[in-house]
């Protein structure tokens, strides 16, 4: 069973990063945790698609889409692949689409909102770089926890 994010904050205080961005739940799994894999991409989801095709091994993909909700970075096909390959969840500072289908997938998905518009497919972006949104820094390998209260990140080397 996962430790609630509020309990983690009570335990670690300001040592813990707590994301201020108000993300919505989209996947069927409401609480998830795992080591972070990070991506920075803007309105282009080709890099994200290639990453979720890799074995997820219980990791959490943290995507900094620059806060854009102009195009969706994840839909039912990419999310379905992520679920099939063993990702614990995805946190997106951007939009998703296919909301009804996402709600049925056995994976945690948090994002800013939804938009049916598809994104570019040029593989623009960076992988495994620190990304920051909501006054929180997500570094590759840091432990990310998400539930109905929000998203928190434990520093690298601290494991729950």
């Amino acid at each position: 069973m996962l430790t609630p994010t509020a309990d983690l904050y009570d335990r670690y205080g300001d040592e813990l990063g707590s994301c201020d961005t108000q993300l919505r739940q989209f996947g069927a799994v409401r609480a998830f945790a795992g080591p972070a894999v990070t991506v920075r991409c803007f309105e282009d989801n080709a890099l994200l698609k290639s990453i979720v095709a890799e074995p997820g091994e219980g990791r959490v993909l943290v995507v900094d889409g620059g806060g854009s909700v102009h195009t969706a970075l994840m839909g039912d096909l990419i999310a379905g692949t992520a679920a099939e390959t063993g990702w614990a969840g995805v946190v997106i500072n951007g939009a998703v689409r296919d909301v009804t289908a996402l709600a049925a997938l056995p994976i945690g998905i948090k994002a800013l909102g939804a938009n049916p518009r598809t994104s570019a497919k040029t593989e623009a972006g960076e992988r495994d770089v620190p990304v920051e949104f909501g006054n929180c820094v997500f570094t590759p390998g840091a432990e990310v926890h998400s539930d109905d209260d929000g998203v928190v990140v434990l520093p690298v080397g601290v494991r729950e």
Side-chain angles (χ1 to χ4, degrees), residues 63-131:
V63 181
D64 184 2
S68 174
V69 292
H70 183 69
T71 65
L73 290 174
M74 177 175 278
D76 61 339
L77 298 178
I78 293 175
T81 299
E84 290 170 7
T85 55
W87 290 84
V90 183
V91 176
I92 303 173
N93 184 28
V96 295
R97 68 187 217 158
D98 304 316
V99 172
T100 301
L102 296 183
L105 291 173
I107 187 170
I109 302 169
K110 277 205 168 164
L112 288 175
N115 189 325
R117 186 180 290 119
T118 189
S119 69
K121 314 280 187 234
T122 65
E123 292 200 37
E126 301 172 274
R127 177 186 177 158
D128 295 327
V129 295
V131 297

